[in-house]
Amino acid sequence: MNKPSEQRSLNGAQNSFRLSELSPEQITEIYDSFHIEDDRTGLSSETLQRAIADNLYYIQGKFPEIATLYDYYMAVAYTVRDRLLHRWINTVKTYREQDVKVVCYLSAEYLPGPHLENNLVNLGIYDQVQQAVESSGLDLRSILAQEEEPGLGNGGLGRLAACYMDSLATLEIPAIGYGIRYEYGIFDQEIREGWQVEITDKWLRLGNPWEIPRPENAVEVKFGGYTEPYTDDQGDYRVRWIPHQVVNGIPFDTPISGYRVNTTSTMRLWKAEAPESFDFQAFNVGDYYGAVDAKIISENLTKVLYPNDEPIQGKQLRLEQQYFFVSCSLQNLLKIHLLRGDPIETFYEKFVIQLNDTHPAIGVAELMRLLVDEYLLHWQKAWDITQQAFAYTNHTLLPEALETWPLNLFGRLLPRHLEIIYEINQRFLDQVRLKYLGNPDKLARLSLIEEGGSKRIRMAHLACVGSHAINGVAALHTELLKKGVLKDFYDLWPHKFTNITNGVTPRRWMVLINPRLTQLITREIGETWITQLEDLKRLESLAEDPAFRQEWRRVKRAVKQDLADYIQAHQGLTLNPDSIFDIQAKRIHEYKRQHLNVLHIITLYNRIKHNPQLAVPPRTFIFGGKAAPGYRMAKLIIKLITAVGEVVNYDPDICDRIKVVFLPDFNVTNSQRIYPAADLSEQISTAGKEASGTGNMKFSMNGALTIGTLDGANIEIREAVGADNFFLFGHTTEDIVDLKEQGYVPKTFYNTNPALKEAIDLIASGYFSHGNRALFQPLVDQLLQADPYCLLADYQSYIDCQDQVGQAFQDQDTWTKTAILNVARIGRFSSDRAIREYGREIWQVDPVSIHLEEYQQAKASLAGEHCLDADACPF
């Protein structure tokens, strides 16, 4: 048995001595001379193996004979988190000491995906951890598969926020991402008898090793009640808000690593709790349920991600969620600012707040309330601070996404904010009157209050008025904002508007998900492209190298085989990896036109049925995506896809020339299997409807060719990769407008196109629904009577373009060259480029390098400046 540490001897070649006889400096010198790694920070495989074993024992409370794979996942996760915390603590200390300007990203959604593998890549310890676990007889892939990903977003918006957090850390830009810690995330999707079924996403049921709860930094958030005016000691008019309900916001911090840098940013998500979890008075009088009623009501606030917002209860909960996380975040920021010793008037000099779409737009009114009511600033000073602090990103042209709130609902929940918005609106419209000589139409269009049958508050208008910068997310989208939905604001403040095209992080969407391709590229051009994606241009010359093209094809086929094996294992379908993997993976929505893709499948099917000997390049059509639970037509599209697959996949005339697969539960994890395997990327939304898209970028980064319309970022991708390397079809935005203005009659296209008519009639006949003619009739009626997204107008152009795809794929050498050029020219679609543009054009922030102080137990101390008050430690 070892003696106590102070009695242990260190034996050298010439002497021995006791630790108790040495000074701390001498101990440190000895430790350094032996190069002993600390088990919490060391990166060698030996040290990591010890740390994992310790965490299994001391955190999971398990020993190997009874440990599950999930226990090992948790042990590895805590081991990696220790390394992150080492960097995170140094990051926070540096920011505090240097008084830096911080980007605050307000987003109601985040889709970070699984953390463990991403952190292994960013920390550069994937191989070491793999060696550590394999030395213990374990398989790292099996351990990685245990992680439950946080489903804290519906789709592209949340994934974009996660990509931006990755780039902010990688570029060493000080940042905090604020959001909501939904207990139940976006639903898990199952397909039963061809229909989508929503399953509760219990992502927290086994715990979350990546988050750190900070209950000592709770803030109070008010709801309801009434306001009362009063006069302060200086004789100024003031307003006091007397709430009906108070909820506590509890922060949970997740460290976000940068790639091969020491910077580790903070994603702070807020959970709602009751100020008192148990009412003893109610309990003592026999009201057992009432005793915990406040807790239940409060915690419902962050229980679930965005419910179906059709009923009034759903709308109210959505507004409550948005206000809750924005209020928590702004209170936290103001507290951090004041604890730095800075005056409130300089808040905008130290923090810039980016509104990720309209969901956090209530922040404009909330910051005004805090500055005017809580910090007692005069209105104009508070307004100057607010406008200079906020910047607004618009992500959509769809009316349903430009949120508005009924005045009575808004006033009932946030009575003080309604008063503030009226005051903002009055002062704003006074300026408009001076500029436009009282033009009533202009006033009505610009007003923050939508008049008419029932008054509504326009949140996009509030964001525009309260921000110093407004940006769209693709060149076309920004131009359409200027000409359309935000035209009046552009006419008023053209200097506020700019375009910053979206981007995605190559760390997750290339390095992590496609290691074979990463290895091939890095072998040829080095690894600088991982943080400087434009360096992929060096691949252009290699596109002319036959040997490189052959190696590229080998890598692509191996990745396709991986996906085929996964689908075989989970759905029992055998796929041909040499077929065209034609993939459309995104949220199911009519404007994204998955049913146009289905019409092409049926057209191919009809051709083969008419001529079974027809030579058709084999295709595997793969779909993935979720429909909103209340979106009946989108769910019917999923049913149509699966129904067509049920017929086509087992028709002997087809002979495996067409396969149709719907891959359930499209999330970050499953998308990582899909993007690398695609030959063809379907980006077929109606021109003028998609703001940007980011799936189009992820497919291209992994060597897929795009078939698409001139919509969103498709336009810029086509410009970047070259028109000859992009399959273009369909009407332009201007064409669509002209069609609608001339009185679009979709049935004209149906009546004059035999192939289109045959495809639609086959659906209507019940051929794909076991003779049930009524099943798909709503979809058929929508197409023939309204067709709001112009499928029938684009049908023939799409079919012709798909025929070109089939012909091109038969020349594998040329197809491979085109795929290489797509990757070589995709560099500008990195989120690093987007963040650099935000930093330069909107935020005016500078990178801050983090020096990593080595943690040594011999130097560890509990002494230092103490935060005796938990409220004085906002981090």
Side-chain angles (χ1 to χ4, degrees):
M1 180 180 291
N2 288 331
K3 297 180 180 179
S5 60
E6 66 272 11
Q7 297 299 316
R8 293 180 192 155
S9 296
L10 291 175
N11 297 301
Q14 299 178 354
N15 55 27
S16 65
F17 42 81
R18 298 179 187 279
L19 286 176
S20 57
E21 299 170 353
L22 302 177
S23 69
E25 291 76 14
Q26 290 173 313
I27 294 174
T28 300
E29 185 178 349
I30 292 169
Y31 268 72
D32 288 345
S33 69
F34 285 112
H35 300 286
I36 296 174
E37 286 190 320
D38 185 86
D39 280 358
R40 289 192 179 273
T41 61
L43 302 179
S44 70
S45 60
E46 295 82 4
T47 301
L48 289 164
Q49 186 175 10
R50 286 197 307 274
I52 293 167
D54 281 354
N55 285 332
L56 179 70
Y57 193 91
Y58 287 108
I59 293 184
Q60 291 303 102
K62 295 287 185 72
F63 51 92
E65 288 79 5
I66 65 169
T68 65
L69 264 180
Y70 191 82
D71 289 321
Y72 281 109
Y73 157 71
M74 293 290 279
V76 174
Y78 278 115
T79 300
V80 175
R81 195 188 79 167
D82 283 344
R83 278 82 189 148
L84 290 180
L85 291 183
H86 183 205
R87 287 154 178 78
W88 184 81
I89 288 169
N90 278 270
T91 300
V92 172
K93 284 177 65 178
T94 300
Y95 294 166
R96 183 184 180 199
E97 291 164 0
Q98 296 188 17
D99 198 22
V100 300
K101 186 175 185 180
V102 178
V103 174
C104 310
Y105 202 75
L106 295 189
S107 181
E109 300 183 25
Y110 287 92
L111 273 176
H115 288 286
L116 177 54
E117 189 171 10
N118 192 68
N119 285 322
L120 296 182
V121 168
N122 282 356
L123 290 172
I125 58 172
Y126 190 99
D127 291 343
Q128 296 94 307
V129 171
Q130 184 172 37
Q131 183 178 346
V133 299
E134 289 181 355
S135 297
S136 301
L138 300 165
D139 175 59
L140 180 58
R141 300 309 306 177
S142 299
I143 289 174
L144 293 171
Q146 302 304 306
E147 183 167 359
E148 186 80 27
E149 72 170 79
L152 304 178
N154 284 292
L157 186 76
R159 185 51 235 174
L160 181 80
C163 283
Y164 281 0
M165 289 301 296
D166 175 276
S167 285
L168 284 161
T170 298
L171 296 175
E172 301 182 295
I173 295 175
I176 308 173
Y178 285 108
I180 303 173
R181 183 182 179 270
Y182 303 101
E183 183 176 343
Y184 301 106
I186 182 68
F187 61 88
D188 292 336
Q189 179 195 57
E190 291 185 1
I191 301 298
R192 298 179 186 169
E193 298 181 351
W195 292 98
Q196 170 178 294
V197 176
E198 296 89 23
I199 307 298
T200 304
D201 173 28
K202 302 177 182 178
W203 73 283
L204 286 171
R205 70 187 186 281
L206 296 177
N208 176 12
W210 302 104
E211 67 183 7
I212 304 168
R214 306 289 195 190
E216 71 277 9
N217 292 326
V219 297
E220 289 189 348
V221 180
K222 305 173 184 178
F223 290 98
Y226 59 93
T227 64
E228 59 181 24
Y230 70 98
T231 302
D232 66 15
D233 296 340
Q234 285 71 44
D236 292 323
Y237 175 85
R238 298 291 179 189
V239 176
R240 184 182 294 112
W241 180 11
I242 313 298
H244 170 71
Q245 180 189 11
V246 175
V247 174
N248 276 355
I250 311 298
F252 286 73
D253 291 345
T254 299
I256 304 296
S257 58
Y259 180 76
R260 307 295 172 88
V261 294
N262 293 326
T263 299
T264 301
S265 300
T266 303
M267 181 173 70
R268 173 162 280 191
L269 305 179
W270 298 94
K271 176 189 176 184
E273 288 188 359
E276 294 292 338
S277 296
F278 193 84
D279 184 343
F280 275 100
Q281 185 174 357
F283 180 78
N284 287 335
V285 298
D287 185 4
Y288 305 112
Y289 295 107
V292 294
D293 191 51
K295 175 179 173 63
I296 294 170
I297 292 172
S298 296
E299 293 187 359
N300 279 344
L301 195 59
T302 53
K303 186 70 71 176
V304 66
L305 167 70
Y306 284 14
N308 183 341
D309 62 354
E310 290 175 4
I312 188 65
Q313 292 87 353
K315 291 184 183 295
Q316 177 171 323
L317 178 55
R318 184 163 179 161
L319 177 57
E320 288 173 339
Q321 287 179 337
Q322 292 175 6
Y323 174 65
F324 167 77
F325 99 87
V326 166
S327 178
C328 289
S329 305
L330 292 177
Q331 289 185 63
N332 184 236
L333 288 176
L334 288 168
K335 186 180 293 184
I336 293 171
H337 180 71
L338 293 175
L339 287 170
R340 284 173 159 181
D342 295 321
I344 197 75
E345 289 80 6
T346 64
F347 176 73
Y348 68 91
E349 297 175 8
K350 302 300 182 182
F351 295 97
V352 58
I353 305 168
Q354 190 70 39
L355 302 174
N356 192 27
D357 217 359
T358 54
H359 309 132
I362 187 62
V364 173
E366 172 65 358
L367 184 56
M368 285 297 293
R369 182 191 73 82
L370 291 167
L371 294 175
V372 172
D373 293 357
E374 304 293 334
Y375 293 98
L376 304 181
L377 295 185
H378 290 292
W379 179 277
Q380 191 56 51
K381 185 61 183 176
W383 184 242
D384 290 343
I385 294 170
T386 297
Q387 279 191 310
Q388 292 180 82
F390 281 108
Y392 166 51
T393 300
N394 176 286
H395 281 281
T396 185
L397 298 167
L398 297 180
E400 63 264 29
L402 291 174
E403 290 179 315
T404 63
W405 297 109
L407 208 66
N408 58 353
L409 168 64
F410 192 95
R412 187 172 68 252
L413 279 179
L414 303 170
R416 178 56 181 144
H417 298 77
L418 182 58
E419 295 173 353
I420 288 171
I421 288 173
Y422 267 118
E423 181 73 13
I424 293 171
N425 198 41
Q426 178 182 319
R427 291 170 182 251
F428 167 57
L429 292 182
D430 283 346
Q431 297 174 12
V432 175
R433 287 187 185 93
L434 294 177
K435 184 174 179 64
Y436 294 105
L437 299 177
N439 182 331
D441 292 337
K442 182 71 76 171
L443 288 170
R445 292 198 302 269
L446 284 167
S447 176
L448 306 188
I449 312 296
E450 179 183 340
E451 306 291 344
S454 60
K455 294 184 177 182
R456 302 179 71 88
I457 297 177
R458 297 161 162 165
M459 301 308 289
H461 288 215
L462 178 62
C464 288
V465 173
S467 299
H468 71 273
I470 302 163
N471 73 280
V473 292
L476 174 64
H477 172 242
T478 300
E479 288 306 307
L480 292 176
L481 285 178
K482 294 176 183 179
K483 296 174 182 176
V485 69
L486 298 181
K487 179 182 185 302
D488 292 304
F489 288 100
Y490 177 69
D491 291 342
L492 188 62
W493 298 310
H495 64 278
K496 280 191 179 187
F497 283 75
T498 189
N499 174 66
I500 299 180
T501 299
N502 285 344
V504 301
T505 170
R507 270 75 64 184
R508 181 176 289 275
W509 299 114
M510 291 185 73
V511 177
L512 187 153
I513 72 172
N514 206 340
R516 292 185 184 93
L517 185 62
T518 296
Q519 191 174 37
L520 174 61
I521 293 172
T522 300
R523 187 188 74 197
E524 297 294 335
I525 67 170
E527 62 180 18
T528 60
W529 64 271
I530 298 173
T531 52
Q532 300 289 335
L533 203 61
E534 295 282 1
D535 286 354
L536 287 175
K537 279 195 172 292
R538 293 187 225 153
L539 291 173
E540 286 204 32
S541 61
L542 290 166
E544 304 295 335
D545 181 349
F548 183 74
R549 292 199 297 270
Q550 184 176 2
E551 185 69 6
W552 188 280
R553 284 194 295 274
R554 186 192 66 77
V555 166
K556 172 62 80 170
R557 193 187 189 283
V559 175
K560 291 170 69 176
Q561 185 65 61
D562 286 347
L563 181 59
D565 291 344
Y566 179 83
I567 290 171
Q568 171 72 49
H570 289 81
Q571 295 184 250
L573 277 174
T574 301
L575 305 184
N576 175 8
D578 294 317
S579 66
I580 305 171
F581 274 26
D582 182 334
I583 302 183
Q584 188 172 16
K586 54 182 72 235
R587 184 165 52 97
I588 308 295
H589 196 289
E590 288 173 276
Y591 90 82
K592 294 179 184 289
R593 304 201 296 190
Q594 283 89 353
H595 42 339
L596 177 59
N597 193 342
V598 174
L599 288 177
H600 171 235
I601 297 171
I602 296 172
T603 299
L604 278 182
Y605 176 77
N606 286 337
R607 288 178 183 175
I608 297 173
K609 292 295 286 185
H610 293 318
N611 180 8
Q613 306 308 314
L614 186 67
V616 175
R619 285 210 198 207
T620 300
F621 295 92
I622 300 174
F623 294 84
K626 297 177 180 179
Y631 192 173
R632 181 170 172 265
M633 197 63 74
K635 293 178 119 175
L636 194 58
I637 289 172
I638 292 177
K639 176 62 176 175
L640 177 63
I641 294 167
T642 58
V644 169
E646 185 180 344
V647 171
V648 169
N649 293 344
Y650 302 102
D651 188 325
D653 288 340
I654 302 305
C655 297
D656 290 334
R657 284 174 284 181
I658 305 175
K659 280 287 176 71
V660 180
V661 181
F662 190 94
L663 195 61
D665 204 29
F666 184 65
N667 55 16
V668 176
T669 301
N670 284 328
S671 72
Q672 292 175 183
R673 299 183 175 99
I674 289 174
Y675 291 124
D679 293 305
L680 188 69
S681 163
E682 297 271 355
Q683 307 300 328
I684 61 177
S685 54
T686 310
K689 295 299 181 183
E690 187 75 81
S692 169
T694 54
N696 46 10
M697 303 170 191
K698 297 164 193 169
F699 279 116
S700 290
M701 283 181 180
N702 286 279
L705 278 57
T706 303
I707 181 170
T709 54
L710 290 177
D711 194 31
N714 287 356
I715 298 171
E716 293 161 80
I717 291 176
R718 181 170 179 263
E719 291 172 353
V721 304
D724 293 340
N725 303 313
F726 186 106
F727 295 102
L728 177 66
F729 79 95
H731 289 79
T732 65
T733 302
E734 294 76 17
D735 294 337
I736 296 292
V737 171
D738 290 343
L739 266 177
K740 297 292 182 71
E741 289 180 349
Q742 293 166 13
Y744 176 51
V745 182
K747 211 160 190 178
T748 302
F749 292 91
Y750 166 82
N751 288 326
T752 58
N753 190 319
L756 173 60
K757 186 176 188 301
E758 183 182 20
I760 291 178
D761 288 350
L762 201 61
I763 297 171
S765 71
Y767 185 84
F768 299 108
S769 49
H770 305 284
N772 182 354
R773 299 169 63 92
L775 179 60
F776 296 119
Q777 198 59 46
L779 196 56
V780 171
D781 290 345
Q782 177 81 326
L783 289 176
L784 295 181
Q785 296 170 17
D787 191 18
Y789 300 109
C790 300
L791 271 77
L792 304 196
D794 276 352
Y795 167 82
Q796 192 58 52
S797 176
Y798 181 57
I799 297 299
D800 293 342
C801 194
Q802 286 283 19
D803 288 343
Q804 295 172 28
V805 170
Q807 293 168 11
F809 191 76
Q810 295 181 74
D811 182 353
Q812 275 290 287
D813 207 45
T814 301
W815 182 281
T816 303
K817 177 180 176 180
T818 305
I820 294 169
L821 291 176
N822 265 260
V823 174
R825 297 170 179 174
I826 203 67
R828 76 175 307 268
F829 299 97
S830 168
S831 51
D832 297 346
R833 184 270 313 153
I835 290 299
R836 288 189 185 100
E837 290 181 4
Y838 274 105
R840 181 177 64 249
E841 299 177 23
I842 294 177
W843 300 334
Q844 285 80 54
V845 293
D846 298 314
V848 177
S849 294
I850 305 300
H851 172 68
L852 193 63
E853 294 181 3
E854 185 176 353
Y855 175 78
Q856 295 180 348
Q857 289 183 332
K859 291 183 177 179
S861 171
L862 298 179
E865 296 181 11
H866 302 298
C867 285
L868 299 179
D869 179 3
D871 287 339
C873 299
F875 277 106

